[in-house]
Every structure is written in structure tokens, then in C-alpha cells.
Amino acid sequence: QVQLVESGGGSVQVGGSLKLSCVASGYIYSRRCMAWFRQAPGKEREGVASICSDVTTTYADSVKGRFTISRDNDVNILYLQMNSLKPEDTAMYYCAASDGYLWFEDRLSPHRYKYWGQGTQVTVSS
């Protein structure tokens, strides 16, 4: 049984940094992708960043140059380092894992991911 558990969210001021973690248990990463999504109140869930087993990464334009996704395969943890945070980054952040390899154009689409964590809240205040 696959389980994803996020942590690391919190409140931070504009320009600050946070690092999110997602512990994945019962999940085989080979030829698959993992990603971070976020959802603000009243808005659709949007893809933030993804990383696949071939180590390729994909980022939403809104976070390029500020966020970095990475994965520690030894301990099955997915990370999202978030720097230069803005108020518009405020959202619930979710970790997700696919059930197969995803082509580039699908990697930030929530419909392509089968497994989801419960989320961790990030609030950026000015």
C-alpha cells in the first residue's frame, strides 16, 4: 500500500524559504514520476514541479528559478526547496506519485498521478 506523507509547511514572510518533504512508503520509483502540486482556496490544483526516475525535472513557469525539486532514493523522500517566496505561493501543497512513466507534457497534470498525500499548508505573508 502506497503512502505519501508531507511535512515542512508553515508561515513565512515574503522572500523567505521553506523546504517541504514527502516520505513515500510502499512505492517503487522505477520508471515513474513524483511531483508537487498546490491548491489555493477557490482555485484549481496546479502542478509545481516534477521529477522522474530518469532524474529529469519539470517546473511551472511561476516557480522556475525559485523552487527546486529533488529526491533522496536511499530514504524514499521527495523534497521541494522553495526560495524567494511570494504571497501568491500561499496554498496547500501536495505530494503525488504516478503509476507509470509520464511524458514531459503530462508531468504537471494532476490527472496523471495516482497516489496523493494529505497536504501541508504554506502561507506567505507580506
Side-chain angles (χ1 to χ4, degrees):
Q1 182 178 357
V2 177
Q3 187 174 19
L4 305 176
V5 179
E6 305 97 331
S7 63
S11 296
V12 65
Q13 291 191 327
V14 169
S17 298
L18 283 173
K19 186 173 185 177
L20 306 183
S21 299
C22 171
V23 178
S25 58
Y27 182 67
I28 300 174
Y29 187 51
S30 176
R31 293 189 58 77
R32 292 176 173 177
C33 301
M34 296 188 74
W36 288 97
F37 289 81
R38 66 186 180 188
Q39 188 167 19
K43 294 189 176 181
E44 292 186 355
R45 189 167 296 190
E46 65 170 346
V48 175
S50 73
I51 185 168
C52 295
S53 51
D54 58 3
V55 199
T56 54
T57 57
T58 307
Y59 293 93
D61 289 342
S62 59
V63 306
K64 280 180 182 176
R66 300 189 299 123
F67 290 10
T68 302
I69 189 171
S70 62
R71 192 176 190 280
D72 188 332
N73 292 328
D74 290 338
V75 292
N76 268 358
I77 300 177
L78 180 73
Y79 299 103
L80 184 68
Q81 176 67 48
M82 305 185 294
N83 299 326
S84 302
L85 283 162
K86 305 175 181 180
E88 51 264 43
D89 295 318
T90 295
M92 184 71 79
Y93 282 72
Y94 298 91
C95 171
S98 72
D99 204 23
Y101 188 79
L102 300 177
W103 296 111
F104 177 83
E105 58 267 25
D106 293 331
R107 293 178 183 180
L108 295 182
S109 172
H111 306 292
R112 296 298 185 180
Y113 288 82
K114 181 175 181 178
Y115 307 103
W116 291 85
Q118 293 301 307
T120 185
Q121 177 68 38
V122 172
T123 303
V124 184
S125 58
S126 56

